[in-house]
Amino acid sequence: MYNKVMTLIALLSLLVGCGSSPATTGDSSNSGSAASEKPVTLVQMEETKAEPEDGYVTIPGTSLSFAPVGDFQQASGFVSYESLTHQTSILVMELPVPDGTQAINYFDNLFTADTLQTKGLELVSKEILHTAKKARALLLKCSLVKDGFSYTQWIYLLESEEQKIGQIQVAAPEEQFTLIEDQITNMLASFRWVGTSSESDTYYSLDLPTDWKLSKQYGLLELYSKGGVFPVPAGEPALGVTNLQQTVLAEDRQAFLDKMNLQRNYYSELKVIDSKDVEIHGHPANISYVSGIETETSKSVIKQYCYIFLDETVIFIEADQSDELNENEFEKIVLSWKLK
């Protein structure tokens, strides 16, 4: 389960960089102004390290901080930073790995040109960087064409001394990216690990059974379990909340639901038992129940899914149906979800 989640999130993250970018909604003719400061090269991170009072912010749901520059600010409704002027998004994730000091080599091998190509990304360059005395990073510079427009996407992976790695994706229209490449370089160089994340860092609230707690945060995903135990013991119920960081138009929601419910990794013979549209704190939503066979164990399962459609993203809540987390309990939990 551990490695399955790790690889799945890593591959999923390749799909969301431009899907949630302001580039899809902004005016591409607005060029703004280029950064005036001299860029900090990524290998100078140790010399340019700043203190929290020097403009550093911590990314909600992670233990990563960085120093935003220009007009970059936290996006509303989802965990990311954005520049509306330059139609640029910075998506930050914290991924679980067996060994953070060895993860750069793992992702260097995983993110090949062929793998990126299957996700619609063309690899322009790839480089392992020594950003500090005890930190390495992998920088992937990619390009893609979406809806007839050319985009630049950088994927920056930062190692740690714990069982986690940071993945930062920057996406923008190609002409806008060129204007603020210096700013982007400065911000990537500023990323660093600070403390640990906690449930108070999440941007939403959720009413859970009294003995349930946040057990693990992956950046895009928060996992809840009884007593906050991780890894979750076999047979124990757990519930995950994932920020899919993509916009789904109202007219496309049914097609999106059909695809999500019936095209799942690690499950076969999927069949929708029930699907109903609801409203959760003013947002359109859907609750679905899907039966299937878990390919890893050949066990019959019923998956409980909730999709909450915000303006900028889709919140995905899921759990296996069990005696302790039955249909009534699941719906009680998901219907309590709301932005803080």
Side-chain angles (χ1 to χ4, degrees), residues 184-205:
I184 293 168
T185 301
N186 288 339
M187 286 187 287
L188 289 180
S190 74
F191 270 92
R192 66 189 188 189
W193 296 101
V194 289
T196 58
S197 56
S198 68
E199 192 168 352
S200 63
D201 294 329
T202 58
Y203 57 96
Y204 62 88
S205 62

Side-chain angles (χ1 to χ4, degrees), residues 108 110-119 121-123 126:
D108 187 22
L110 176 65
F111 290 152
T112 64
D114 290 341
T115 299
L116 293 168
Q117 188 64 50
T118 64
K119 307 302 178 184
L121 297 171
E122 180 181 351
L123 180 62
K126 180 166 62 169

Side-chain angles (χ1 to χ4, degrees), residues 109-170:
N109 292 327
L110 176 65
F111 290 152
T112 64
D114 290 341
T115 299
L116 293 168
Q117 188 64 50
T118 64
K119 307 302 178 184
L121 297 171
E122 180 181 351
L123 180 62
V124 176
S125 67
K126 180 166 62 169
E127 182 181 3
I128 293 180
L129 306 165
H130 294 271
T131 61
K133 292 179 179 179
K134 294 185 178 180
R136 290 187 307 158
L138 175 66
L139 178 62
L140 307 167
K141 297 183 179 181
C142 304
S143 64
L144 71 155
V145 176
K146 182 178 180 181
D147 299 328
F149 293 94
S150 296
Y151 296 87
T152 296
Q153 182 163 323
W154 283 11
I155 304 170
Y156 182 70
L157 298 114
L158 183 65
E159 74 174 8
S160 77
E161 296 183 351
E162 301 179 28
Q163 290 183 312
K164 59 187 178 182
I165 189 171
Q167 180 166 318
I168 299 95
Q169 292 181 195
V170 185

Side-chain angles (χ1 to χ4, degrees), residues 77-128:
F78 61 101
V79 183
S80 178
Y81 272 72
E82 64 184 359
S83 165
L84 296 179
T85 302
H86 296 287
Q87 306 154 49
T88 303
S89 64
I90 301 177
L91 171 63
V92 183
M93 290 165 282
E94 186 175 310
L95 307 180
V97 294
D99 184 346
T101 63
Q102 300 298 318
I104 293 299
N105 294 333
Y106 172 84
F107 284 102
D108 187 22
N109 292 327
L110 176 65
F111 290 152
T112 64
D114 290 341
T115 299
L116 293 168
Q117 188 64 50
T118 64
K119 307 302 178 184
L121 297 171
E122 180 181 351
L123 180 62
V124 176
S125 67
K126 180 166 62 169
E127 182 181 3
I128 293 180

Side-chain angles (χ1 to χ4, degrees), residues 40-48 127-132 189:
V40 178
T41 60
L42 294 173
V43 297
Q44 291 177 317
M45 183 177 180
E46 182 72 13
E47 287 74 14
T48 61
E127 182 181 3
I128 293 180
L129 306 165
H130 294 271
T131 61

